[in-house]
Amino acid sequence: MELSAAWHTLSTGLVPPAALGLAAPRSSVAGPPKDYDLQVAIEVLQRYDLHSVVEEWFLEVLQTDLQANIAPEFWNCIAQYENTAEEPQCSLLLLDAFCLLKCRLDPYLHSMDLLEKWTKAGLLLGTGSQGLQEKVYTMFRAILFFSTTKNFQEMIQQFYSRSFKIYMRQWKRSEDKANEGESNMSDNEQESEAEESEPGGGGLQCAGCNCKKSQCWCPTAMDQFQQLNDILRRLNLLERVSADAVTNILHRMIEERMEWRCRGEYERSFLNEFQEWIEKVIGWLSRVFLQGGAATHPNPEAISTLKRWRCHVQRFFYRLYASMRIEELFSIIRDFPESKPAVDDLKYCLERTNQRQQLLSSLKGALEMRLLHPGVNTSDIITLYISAIKALRELDPSMVILEVACEPIRKYLRTREDTVRQIVAGLTGDAEGSGDLANELSKADPVTLENGQESDDDVSQPEDWVPDPVDADPGKSSSKRRSSDIISLLVSIYGSKDLFINEYRTLLADRLLHQFNYSAEREIRNVELLKLRFGEAQMHYCEVMLKDMADSRRINTNIRDEEQKLPEEERPPFSLVAVILSSEFWPPLKEEKLELPEQIKEAMEAYSKKYEKLKAMRTLNWKHHLGLVKLDVELADRTLSLSVSPVHAAIILHFQSKSTWTLDELSEVLKVPVTSLRRKMTLWLQQGVLREEPPGTFTVIEEEQKDRAEKVVLIDSDEEGDSAMASQADQKEEELQLFWTYIQAMLTNLESLSLERIHSMLKIFVMTGPMVTEIDIQELQGFLQKKVRDQQLIYSGGVYRLPKSCN
Amino acid sequence: MKVEIKCWHGVASWLWVANDENCGICRMAFNGCCPDCKVPGDDCPLVWGQCSHCFHMHCILKWLNSQQVQQHCPMCRQEWKFKE
């Protein structure tokens, strides 16, 4: 009897009667039993040894009630969301649903506290390792929020993002107030920022809640926000319900803000700005996770939660920011050094995130897509490569990123024919636009390109040693990588400096012989600078070339002085000035045949005679087709003053004796092939000195016919701008001819050979001499295929053999 | 029509009037210079012997200095005498 009464008291006291299926309506519980009565009851149960079932029973009832009543009720409430269109109603609904939930669960929570207390007092046995409280909370989460509907998630999301917006708005407003003393400019800026950030926010709308200012419900929203957080905290559901939403909001906000503030803006650093902004965000988070906003009761658990969040937000920011900059790295490199702040930011972020790999692959992709295709000029590629060297060196002093990411550029440049020429032109300051390389060259303390064996040991401070990043090429020493500068990197594209020296020599020769407008001082300076880098021996040829120029000038003066001593009538009819070359030291000159008119040849012979007198046992070999002639063409009604090439001069000189020539006749006297002669004629046609009528016959126009429409003569790609030097390709061809005799001998003896065999045999016999000519297998294949086309070789079944007639 | 040449800039290369291309001692081109020299021409001249063989002056002097007893032309083994 006593037991039954005690159980009744306990059961009605601990759980709401409705949960037990009793008739009494939930609302009208008449005076629930006092805590004291309950304690008496439990003591009775204890006497009968039945107290052990109490907790289990309590959990059982809670579970049933949750499943049968509370959960459906709650979700029904939420389901009404579909009928609500307006946001304020919707958040009100959400709050109501949670209030209801709280009021349903409050009795249980109260009882739970009581049971805990009893357990502590020893009246109950406790529920094993997992505390009762924990079990109850787990049950809430498990039954109520095991699966949440999409609508619910949307509601939560909307609710939190609204409160976030309002919070940030309020914060900004208070800051604006604080800044009011400052200049109007910054105020305006902030105002415009605020407007930009709210795309729909006109002047009449509250930026916080997007409603008309008169209907602003910001304070209500913040109030609801506070209440909901309190409820969730009480039910220990905060993390379960809002963590996703909060994370989403933060991520979206960071993304949006970054997109709006940072994209395409490389000239200032954003790290500090975002750091401040993140602090603001943390302020909002503390509203969510800490009791009553500002830390009134700093509860250690909440503080650690907050710390975790701060860490998360920062990390997320770094990652996102780094990703964005990585994506834009191509443009950042292009804008370097203006974009240095962006590079520094990226460097800072990369140290904190693990995105090197992403950077490498993304940059490689961008380079290949935007730079390395046939539509881009070689000089532009080189310019970008130089910027990349500068920017990536800033980003990663170990130069590993540079080495890995720019490998495609280097590989690509190797396939372009004019790369060397462009780099050399850049070095000597000839290329328009970038003076970068020329500046780099004149820098003090250059890195010599003599590749001495350096070791890693010579780092001055052993403590400062840093291991190379994992993606470094282990084959290369880090000190070499670190010490390489722009020029050495560019020169090493081809792996040898000889190629560069040769190209430089060709360019120099070109300037000296073809253009006649060089400045001796600048050339000497360039050669001196290059000597510092490439070494004395390599630049020796160029020095001799420059010395030849100086010597020629001296000889010319000498000879002219002598001429001056002669009586008037014996003087030569025009002044002949020669550039006298030391042929061994100049690049091979293009050979062209040209027969000059008698008077010129005589003058040259006279000059040679005088030279022979000056320099015993030496004579001159004239290159008739090279040079520059200044002349006046006097016609009946006009005089033209021109500077032309010797061929052009020779042509027009012939027209002095005879005013009409056919192309064939001219070709005969000049010993120039008809095709190239026709090209040369265009200059005179264009100048209006000659006319072609009928085709193939040229006549002097003594008097200009004013009425005749001016004849436009198209110059079909004249070699006017061409180099006086034999091209690299021609030189290579000549070298390959050397191999051809060997290959013929091989095939005569061994009948047939595969490509690989030929290559390896050439390596053994030919490429070992003092004059090492390298040939790689592709080049050899190309060469052999050409021979096959010329029917000098037969290719079948993977082997080459000589045709029968050759044997 | 009359054409008046004001100035003709020509290009020529100089060469030694010798009966061979290369120096018989150092095997370098006469028009180049001997291995010890940097600059060809005046700074590294040729000399002729009475036997009509010629060499870089520096090369033949080195050769003659290394000959203890009699001085021979390295090419034809005749006694070496400079051609006047």
Side-chain angles (χ1 to χ4, degrees), chain A residues 540 577 615 618 634 702, chain B residues 1-2 10-11 13 38 42:
Chain A
H540 172 208
V577 181
K615 310 270 178 187
R618 278 198 263 170
E634 288 166 29
E702 281 290 354
Chain B
M1 184 187 70
K2 199 168 160 278
V11 176
S13 61
K38 291 264 178 243
D42 296 339

Side-chain angles (χ1 to χ4, degrees), chain B residues 9-66:
Chain B
H9 282 278
V11 176
S13 61
W14 62 263
L15 58 152
W16 288 103
V17 186
N19 47 13
D20 205 353
E21 294 250 310
N22 300 327
C23 166
I25 298 175
C26 66
R27 305 303 300 161
M28 303 293 263
F30 280 138
N31 298 330
C33 50
C34 79
D36 298 334
C37 282
K38 291 264 178 243
V39 185
D42 296 339
D43 294 352
C44 187
L46 299 195
V47 287
W48 279 258
Q50 277 180 358
C51 59
S52 86
H53 286 120
C54 67
F55 306 98
H56 285 126
M57 184 181 78
H58 300 130
C59 294
I60 190 68
L61 285 179
K62 225 194 260 172
W63 163 261
L64 296 175
N65 286 338
S66 68

Side-chain angles (χ1 to χ4, degrees), chain A residues 378-433:
Chain A
T378 308
S379 59
D380 294 338
I381 299 180
I382 293 172
T383 310
L384 193 104
Y385 183 43
I386 294 169
S387 300
I389 293 172
K390 288 183 188 158
L392 297 180
R393 187 160 52 191
E394 203 71 41
L395 187 64
D396 170 29
S398 77
M399 308 277 263
V400 174
I401 290 181
L402 176 70
E403 192 182 270
V404 179
C406 291
E407 193 49 41
I409 304 187
R410 297 167 65 88
K411 217 182 252 168
Y412 185 80
L413 282 176
R414 245 170 266 163
T415 65
R416 286 249 175 149
E417 271 176 12
D418 57 341
T419 303
V420 184
R421 191 162 280 241
Q422 291 289 350
I423 295 175
V424 172
L427 278 177
T428 50
D430 286 354
E432 70 272 25

Side-chain angles (χ1 to χ4, degrees), chain A residues 89-114:
Chain A
Q89 284 171 22
C90 178
S91 51
L92 197 64
L93 180 79
L94 187 71
L95 187 64
D96 283 346
F98 274 98
C99 279
L100 185 69
L101 185 67
K102 178 171 180 283
C103 118
R104 289 286 179 263
L105 292 177
D106 256 346
Y108 289 105
L109 291 172
H110 177 76
S111 317
M112 184 183 81
D113 289 342
L114 212 59

Side-chain angles (χ1 to χ4, degrees), chain A residues 479-497:
Chain A
S479 65
K480 194 181 284 170
R481 195 181 302 121
R482 275 164 214 264
S483 67
S484 38
D485 66 350
I486 294 173
I487 291 180
S488 55
L489 279 167
L490 283 174
V491 169
S492 67
I493 287 178
Y494 281 86
S496 94
K497 49 185 174 177

Side-chain angles (χ1 to χ4, degrees), chain A residues 143-340:
Chain A
I143 295 170
L144 280 170
F145 297 102
F146 172 65
S147 70
T148 54
T149 63
K150 201 161 157 274
N151 283 346
F152 177 69
Q153 280 165 1
E154 265 170 33
M155 282 166 85
I156 293 282
Q157 182 96 17
Q158 196 184 32
F159 185 82
Y160 275 98
S161 51
R162 176 62 59 207
S163 82
F164 179 77
K165 242 178 214 168
I166 296 171
Y167 176 82
M168 294 310 264
R169 177 76 200 143
Q170 282 173 346
W171 196 88
K172 192 187 288 294
R173 208 175 289 146
S174 66
E175 183 155 84
D176 280 356
K177 252 171 223 155
N179 289 345
E180 218 144 310
E182 284 177 31
S183 70
N184 279 333
M185 184 63 199
S186 73
D187 271 354
N188 288 342
E189 221 172 15
Q190 284 193 336
E191 205 54 49
S192 68
E193 270 175 26
E195 257 159 55
E196 261 179 87
S197 68
E198 307 294 341
L204 286 172
Q205 280 186 316
C206 168
C209 55
N210 276 5
C211 284
K212 288 215 180 77
K213 280 216 165 115
S214 53
Q215 290 167 10
C216 174
W217 53 288
C218 289
T220 333
M222 283 320 267
D223 207 37
Q224 286 170 347
F225 169 66
Q226 205 60 50
Q227 282 178 33
L228 184 66
N229 282 332
D230 284 341
I231 294 170
L232 288 173
R233 211 178 293 118
R234 173 84 180 100
L235 298 179
N236 207 14
L237 285 170
L238 194 57
E239 294 257 358
R240 175 74 188 93
V241 172
S242 49
D244 274 355
V246 171
T247 319
N248 272 342
I249 290 165
L250 291 181
H251 287 189
R252 214 184 53 230
M253 284 316 190
I254 292 177
E255 262 168 58
E256 266 173 23
R257 189 174 170 83
M258 200 172 300
E259 202 63 35
W260 159 57
R261 308 275 308 179
C262 313
R263 187 168 286 282
E265 172 73 57
Y266 314 130
E267 296 188 15
R268 60 200 178 94
S269 166
F270 288 97
L271 286 180
N272 284 336
E273 190 189 311
F274 266 90
Q275 205 60 50
E276 272 174 37
W277 188 79
I278 285 172
E279 282 313 311
K280 273 198 276 180
V281 173
I282 299 293
W284 179 71
L285 277 176
S286 72
R287 288 260 186 122
V288 179
F289 292 105
L290 289 184
Q291 204 85 38
T296 40
H297 304 290
N299 140 15
E301 202 187 325
I303 286 180
S304 87
T305 312
L306 204 61
K307 216 178 196 169
R308 222 172 52 231
W309 275 97
R310 183 197 301 266
C311 197
H312 170 85
V313 172
Q314 270 172 350
R315 203 141 290 265
F316 182 79
F317 161 71
Y318 288 142
R319 215 183 54 235
L320 207 66
Y321 188 61
S323 296
M324 173 185 239
R325 288 305 187 216
I326 286 172
E327 200 184 301
E328 296 173 318
L329 194 54
F330 184 89
S331 313
I332 294 179
I333 285 176
R334 190 193 53 208
D335 291 359
F336 199 82
E338 279 76 30
S339 62
K340 193 172 177 300

Side-chain angles (χ1 to χ4, degrees), chain A residues 416-541:
Chain A
R416 286 249 175 149
E417 271 176 12
D418 57 341
T419 303
V420 184
R421 191 162 280 241
Q422 291 289 350
I423 295 175
V424 172
L427 278 177
T428 50
D430 286 354
E432 70 272 25
S434 82
D436 270 359
L437 276 177
N439 285 339
E440 189 73 11
L441 184 64
S442 53
K443 260 189 199 165
D445 190 26
V447 183
T448 45
L449 295 170
E450 305 297 342
N451 305 328
Q453 281 298 314
E454 293 171 60
S455 66
D456 274 337
D457 306 336
D458 54 18
V459 183
S460 50
Q461 290 288 315
E463 290 84 13
D464 296 345
W465 182 80
V466 184
D468 273 342
V470 280
D471 38 8
D473 178 358
K476 294 185 184 152
S477 90
S478 88
S479 65
K480 194 181 284 170
R481 195 181 302 121
R482 275 164 214 264
S483 67
S484 38
D485 66 350
I486 294 173
I487 291 180
S488 55
L489 279 167
L490 283 174
V491 169
S492 67
I493 287 178
Y494 281 86
S496 94
K497 49 185 174 177
D498 295 352
L499 208 64
F500 275 82
I501 308 288
N502 278 338
E503 192 63 39
Y504 177 73
R505 196 155 64 110
T506 312
L507 275 181
L508 180 64
D510 220 23
R511 265 204 303 275
L512 298 181
L513 292 189
H514 209 82
Q515 302 172 355
F516 292 94
N517 57 356
Y518 64 97
S519 113
E521 284 128 69
R522 210 184 76 184
E523 298 303 342
I524 290 171
R525 180 174 155 274
N526 279 339
V527 169
E528 288 298 321
L529 289 170
L530 288 169
K531 243 160 73 179
L532 286 177
R533 261 167 197 284
F534 294 97
E536 196 85 31
Q538 303 281 340
M539 298 307 294
H540 172 208
Y541 282 36

